[in-house]
Amino acid sequence: MTGKSGASVLLLTFARRGEEQAIRDALAHMRSEIPDADVFAVGTPVSAPLLQEAGVESVIIYGAGRGARAVVRESRSRRPKAAAIIYWEPRLAGHLKLEALALLAGARVTHRFPPGSDARPVGRLGLMSSVASKSAKSLLCAAAGAALCGIAFACLLVSQTLAGGSRARRS
Amino acid sequence: MKATVIIVNHNGRDLLAESVPAALAAARAAGEHDVVVADDASSDDSVAFVQDNFPEAKALALPKGGFGAACNTAVAAAESEAAVILNNDVVVTTDFLPPLLDDLGQPDVFAVGCKFLNPDGTLTDALGNRTSGEWQGGLLHIRHETRPERLTETCPQLYPNGGGMAFWRDKWLELGGFDPLFRPLYWEDVDIGYRAWGRGWRVLFEPRSIVHHDQGSTMARLHRPAHIERMSAKNGILFAWKNLLDGARFRRAVAAQARWAADDVLIGGLPPRTAALWWAFRQLGQACRARARERRERILSDDEILSASAGGSP
């Protein structure tokens, strides 16, 4: 589904309550950048009405039986000329997911909307490097957590063993 | 049985204006009991306020050490068989003491917790009335009974809420009091209750002993909500590291904790448990020593503790 100009724009946001104005601002910006573009978004059954009320033309539903692969496939099939990401949720996990989706959907340029700031357009290469750095940060966090727990587990077990046998009955 | 009622205070002069006279009235009504205000290095004039206005109460000016340390010092200094700890924002009813002391007379009872009501007399929905717990996803999940009809009889509970609890002083000293592992606060009362059950002692809930608690009035002004959340999460992890001795359960718990960092990254969970994990890790040495001690002293298994504290047989 494309507009008169033949272009479509993918809007990516978690569409949380309170985010309505940020969505409207991003839509206005994208429509001024690509007039007559159809704007579609990815949302859940819960967020879809909010997105449509804000002016998004159609919503690809994620959840309710549709997995990430189907969402990516449908997003790609609409050949978005550009993507817009609203960074409302200030978490690495959220940012990473939205940027990866923009990349996989094939948008040539992505307009990033940080809270309270103007749009910052970035090309595919820039987005790719952002996804790579966030993925590395995520892996590092996960590895650090696992390492902390591994060390803690070993130390606690050793101290328990050195303390000798428990008087507790086995459960 | 003589008891010492200990009100723990930090910068709560205005709260003491209500809680101290209530405690004094209750102590007088129940016989010859002491009332002590254990002041944790207040920078307001709490100590002078107590000395000037309530000469029957003893004011202990303590160096800064947090809630647990103030309790430990005051209990050690008490000259009675039993002690009662109260938060400075807890206002007792005049007849709250006799039911607690009656319950302590039962065999093997270590501690008895009060029934907490909001200042308007309604049942509080967040504080330790008839507590129980369940090991789940790497942490002990605490439950509180909120149905009034289930809070009419004296019954076992996992731990007495530290805001209003009576206990035997000798058993307290044997347990080593509140563990400084949980400084500055939160989970120390859960820990002492769990350890008491682990030694074969009991902890009871006493619905006839009513206290009013303006929940969080002290905490809210001393700490930011995010800080409270982080302290609580850190201490929840340390509690598991120290107390969960059942081998298979412990392995599952640590594996679940190891997944938290990945979950935080991929799902964005709240509170940020990775940070809490790091905070807990910095106290690993202390946790190891505490776990070793638990291993030596414990006579009930983790399952038996939870079963017995929920009213089942150990």
Side-chain angles (χ1 to χ4, degrees), chain B residues 45-64:
Chain B
D45 61 346
S46 288
V47 173
F49 173 74
V50 172
Q51 286 167 340
D52 293 347
N53 294 280
F54 308 107
E56 315 97 289
K58 186 176 168 188
L60 275 181
L62 303 172
K64 183 89 187 108

Side-chain angles (χ1 to χ4, degrees), chain A residues 57-76:
Chain A
E57 267 112 17
S58 63
V59 180
I60 298 174
I61 299 293
Y62 171 72
R66 298 194 74 216
R69 201 173 292 181
V71 167
V72 170
R73 205 179 303 128
E74 189 170 345
S75 300
R76 277 187 82 83

Side-chain angles (χ1 to χ4, degrees), chain A residues 148-158, chain B residues 241 247 250-252 254-255 284:
Chain A
L148 288 187
C149 286
I151 296 168
F153 180 71
C155 293
L156 291 162
L157 220 57
V158 167
Chain B
W241 287 2
F250 181 60
R251 276 194 299 279
R252 283 200 298 273
V254 178
L284 180 60

Side-chain angles (χ1 to χ4, degrees), chain B residues 38-308:
Chain B
D39 188 77
D40 182 33
S42 291
S43 54
D44 62 6
D45 61 346
S46 288
V47 173
F49 173 74
V50 172
Q51 286 167 340
D52 293 347
N53 294 280
F54 308 107
E56 315 97 289
K58 186 176 168 188
L60 275 181
L62 303 172
K64 183 89 187 108
F67 176 77
C71 291
N72 288 346
T73 308
V75 174
E79 294 167 347
S80 58
E81 300 157 275
V84 180
I85 290 176
L86 299 173
N87 275 3
N88 60 355
D89 54 0
V90 164
V91 178
V92 301
T93 51
T94 310
D95 54 356
F96 96 110
L97 201 45
L100 296 177
L101 301 182
D102 282 354
D103 292 337
L104 284 180
Q106 294 179 40
D108 299 328
V109 170
F110 159 61
V112 187
C114 301
K115 180 177 182 179
F116 288 83
L117 297 180
N118 292 316
D120 64 2
T122 55
L123 192 62
T124 172
D125 61 354
L127 265 171
N129 287 328
R130 198 175 174 180
T131 56
S132 58
E134 189 185 357
W135 287 105
Q136 218 175 56
L139 288 176
L140 182 73
H141 286 256
I142 305 291
R143 286 193 292 265
H144 309 264
E145 184 56 67
T146 53
R147 290 165 291 186
E149 69 275 13
R150 302 283 309 269
L151 293 171
T152 55
E153 288 184 12
T154 309
C155 58
Q157 63 174 348
L158 181 60
Y159 72 94
N161 184 292
M165 63 184 276
F167 51 87
W168 284 104
R169 186 172 160 275
D170 58 347
K171 289 189 171 79
W172 169 280
L173 295 174
E174 201 178 321
L175 285 164
F178 282 148
D179 192 334
L181 180 68
F182 301 102
R183 279 187 68 187
L185 77 171
Y186 285 128
W187 284 82
E188 61 280 270
D189 48 2
V190 187
D191 173 68
I192 205 164
Y194 200 89
R195 286 188 289 133
W197 280 105
R199 279 156 183 72
W201 298 333
R202 293 187 299 146
V203 176
L204 302 178
F205 166 71
E206 178 47 76
R208 293 172 298 160
S209 175
I210 293 171
V211 299
H212 294 98
H213 190 198
D214 187 2
Q215 191 194 321
S217 61
T218 304
M219 286 302 101
R221 62 185 183 183
L222 294 180
H223 304 282
R224 294 188 313 275
H227 186 60
I228 292 174
E229 204 174 19
R230 208 160 42 200
M231 282 191 296
S232 183
K234 183 264 290 182
N235 284 347
I237 295 166
L238 287 171
F239 179 87
W241 287 2
K242 173 186 176 183
N243 289 300
L244 184 53
L245 297 184
D246 177 90
R249 262 188 208 286
F250 181 60
R251 276 194 299 279
R252 283 200 298 273
V254 178
Q257 291 164 7
R259 281 195 300 270
W260 289 348
D263 286 353
D264 276 355
V265 168
L266 296 172
I267 303 164
L270 279 171
R273 293 169 298 183
T274 317
L277 204 55
W278 170 243
W279 277 38
F281 187 78
R282 289 161 58 189
Q283 290 181 257
L284 180 60
Q286 253 182 301
C288 286
R289 287 190 290 279
R291 185 177 177 83
R293 183 179 170 197
E294 270 314 289
R295 174 81 172 177
R296 285 192 299 269
E297 305 292 329
R298 182 81 69 80
I299 61 168
L300 292 191
S301 69
D302 294 293
D303 282 345
E304 287 169 331
I305 290 172
L306 296 183
S307 162

Side-chain angles (χ1 to χ4, degrees), chain B residues 3-20:
Chain B
T4 302
V5 179
I6 298 162
I7 300 171
V8 186
N9 176 66
H10 177 70
N11 287 344
R13 179 192 179 282
D14 54 325
L15 299 169
L16 294 176
E18 210 181 341
S19 57
V20 175

